[in-house]
Amino acid sequence: MLQIDMKSAIATVKSKRAKKVAVQIPEGLKTKLTEIVKEVEEKTGAAVFSFVEPCFGACDLGDAWAKELGAELLLHFGHTQILGQSKIPTVYLPLEYNLEGKKLETALKKLDELLRAGKMKKVALCTTIQYLPCLQELKKALGKKGFSVLIGKGKGAEAGQVLGCNYSAVKSVAGKADAVAFFGDGLFHPLGISFCCKKPVFLLNPIEGRAEQLKEQRDLLLRKRIAMVEKVKQAKTVGIWVSTKRGQQRAKLAMELKKKFEGRGKAAFIFASGLLNPEYLLGVQVEAIVSTACPRIALDDSSSFKQAIVNPNEALIALGERKFEEFEFDELA
Ligand code: SF4
């Protein structure tokens, strides 16, 4: 179950004596939006403006909008800070999972078996923000089982933290490890790790109480991406998409890519918007899209687009400037 630190939220609003507060929450918490707002309003007397545009990371900070609306404070739920100074005072309130001990135990037991079977003793451990408070405890538990555990420190992330666009923490220690263990749910992050760390990657899933080595999923993804890159190679018209979100904006890269595609005789156009919604491209005559924004869009949402969609790393493969053996998820950090 997700835990929300409402005490800190309320205490900050009170200490700042804020009368107008902006709230930004991740999609997964929208069902709790009215509950959260009600509590803030009732306990502080402040008026709350809730942003309802989808927010998937702290790369998409709502500070400019909040300032425009006259808010004195922004409560950003779900993520830790990754951008520089905010335009108005901002409090980051990450969510934490309340884990079920039994499921975690089962997952750990399975991981122990898998690591032993592979004769792997040194493990690089990492997770996403929701599970970060558990990491040291997990390190101890694996240490007790006789493993040597490494937790790396990266750029723009906490020790041991990975984001869908930043694997620097795990990359800093993976070279010294026999394997990487990703603690969390979902395949995106461990798959990203498997491409940038070149070590066996294990998923330790505390929600489902299981552990597994990622292999087939990695091969399947690679096959899908090869097919996508092939379509971009064949395309005669390419749209290069730039996000206007502060932490995802890569206008310079978009211009460089446009030149490269034009140099190969293709027509290339730069498009901009906050979110990349496939509907925004209805009627636009391009056969392929290069998304320079959040790497998850091209990898997770490709089926929503009628055009082929790739990230800049893949675009370079399509342009013949990179080999497929060098395939990695795109990173923004
Ligand atoms: S760019 Fe994507 S992966 Fe990175 S923080 Fe933003 S939403 Fe998360």
Side-chain angles (χ1 to χ4, degrees):
M1 211 172 75
L2 277 171
Q3 303 258 83
I4 310 165
D5 187 1
M6 285 306 292
K7 265 194 187 162
S8 297
I10 305 285
T12 316
V13 178
K14 282 185 178 166
S15 73
K16 300 261 181 215
R17 296 197 163 97
K19 293 278 163 276
K20 207 190 263 182
V21 173
V23 163
Q24 202 176 17
I25 67 166
E27 286 303 279
L29 201 63
K30 282 240 171 104
T31 51
K32 297 245 179 290
L33 174 69
T34 51
E35 216 178 286
I36 291 169
V37 170
K38 207 161 171 251
E39 190 172 342
V40 174
E41 288 190 333
E42 280 176 4
K43 292 190 176 162
T44 68
V48 173
F49 286 66
S50 313
F51 292 128
V52 288
E53 260 190 42
C55 170
F56 301 104
C59 57
D60 181 19
L61 196 66
D63 56 340
W65 291 25
K67 190 173 179 197
E68 199 66 34
L69 294 170
E72 299 143 289
L73 178 69
L74 169 63
L75 301 177
H76 182 97
F77 287 91
H79 316 108
T80 45
Q81 181 173 6
I82 55 174
L83 294 177
Q85 195 157 7
S86 168
K87 293 185 195 306
I88 65 162
T90 298
V91 187
Y92 293 86
L93 297 145
L95 311 174
E96 289 171 16
Y97 268 107
N98 203 357
L99 294 175
E100 206 187 299
K102 209 161 177 91
K103 288 211 170 143
L104 179 56
E105 222 175 89
T106 317
L108 261 174
K109 196 165 165 260
K110 183 70 188 156
L111 178 67
D112 181 23
E113 286 166 18
L114 291 169
L115 290 171
R116 278 180 205 286
K119 297 189 178 15
M120 297 165 191
K121 292 190 174 127
K122 276 194 190 167
V123 184
L125 187 62
C126 59
T127 187
T128 51
I129 188 65
Q130 297 89 342
Y131 299 99
L132 209 54
C134 313
L135 214 58
Q136 288 304 327
E137 220 173 291
L138 208 59
K139 180 179 177 180
K140 258 194 223 159
L142 284 167
K144 274 190 193 160
K145 290 180 185 289
F147 298 103
S148 159
V149 179
L150 308 166
I151 294 179
K153 178 80 191 87
K155 199 175 146 230
E158 305 288 323
Q161 182 193 5
V162 289
L163 291 101
C165 60
N166 181 355
Y167 299 97
S168 55
V170 66
K171 281 201 287 192
S172 71
V173 289
K176 295 179 222 146
D178 302 319
V180 177
F182 169 80
F183 182 59
D185 53 328
L187 284 175
F188 189 90
H189 298 91
L191 282 172
I193 296 165
S194 75
F195 288 107
C196 66
C197 290
K198 317 271 184 279
K199 293 279 166 132
V201 176
F202 295 88
L203 168 63
L204 178 65
N205 186 325
I207 304 290
E208 294 174 11
R210 65 183 174 91
E212 61 173 323
Q213 182 174 356
L214 297 189
K215 182 137 190 359
E216 282 154 28
Q217 301 95 324
R218 186 183 190 277
D219 296 344
L220 179 68
L221 178 89
L222 202 53
R223 283 202 296 276
K224 282 188 184 164
R225 298 319 295 172
I226 289 173
M228 198 63 91
V229 167
E230 213 37 57
K231 284 186 190 163
V232 178
K233 261 190 208 168
Q234 307 302 327
K236 291 192 174 57
T237 47
V238 181
I240 299 155
W241 178 62
V242 178
S243 173
T244 54
K245 292 177 193 289
R246 183 144 68 99
Q248 296 185 22
Q249 196 262 85
R250 293 200 283 177
K252 191 166 167 266
L253 174 63
M255 286 171 72
E256 286 166 10
L257 287 168
K258 176 175 159 66
K259 265 199 197 142
K260 285 179 194 281
F261 278 106
E262 287 170 345
R264 300 289 191 287
K266 296 177 194 287
F269 307 88
I270 299 178
F271 305 137
S273 59
L275 276 176
L276 178 53
N277 185 331
E279 283 177 17
Y280 298 167
L281 297 173
L282 285 178
V284 178
Q285 301 297 312
V286 288
E287 294 156 81
I289 302 286
V290 181
S291 162
T292 64
C294 174
R296 298 200 66 149
I297 299 166
L299 296 172
D300 279 348
D301 304 337
S302 59
S303 58
S304 326
F305 291 84
K306 76 173 174 44
Q307 300 89 347
I309 178 164
V310 294
N311 280 325
N313 281 349
E314 296 168 316
L316 292 179
I317 299 174
L319 286 160
E321 293 195 9
R322 244 182 122 125
K323 295 197 180 98
F324 227 111
E325 297 74 61
E326 297 167 278
F327 173 84
E328 279 183 11
F329 283 15
D330 200 36
E331 291 188 67
L332 267 61

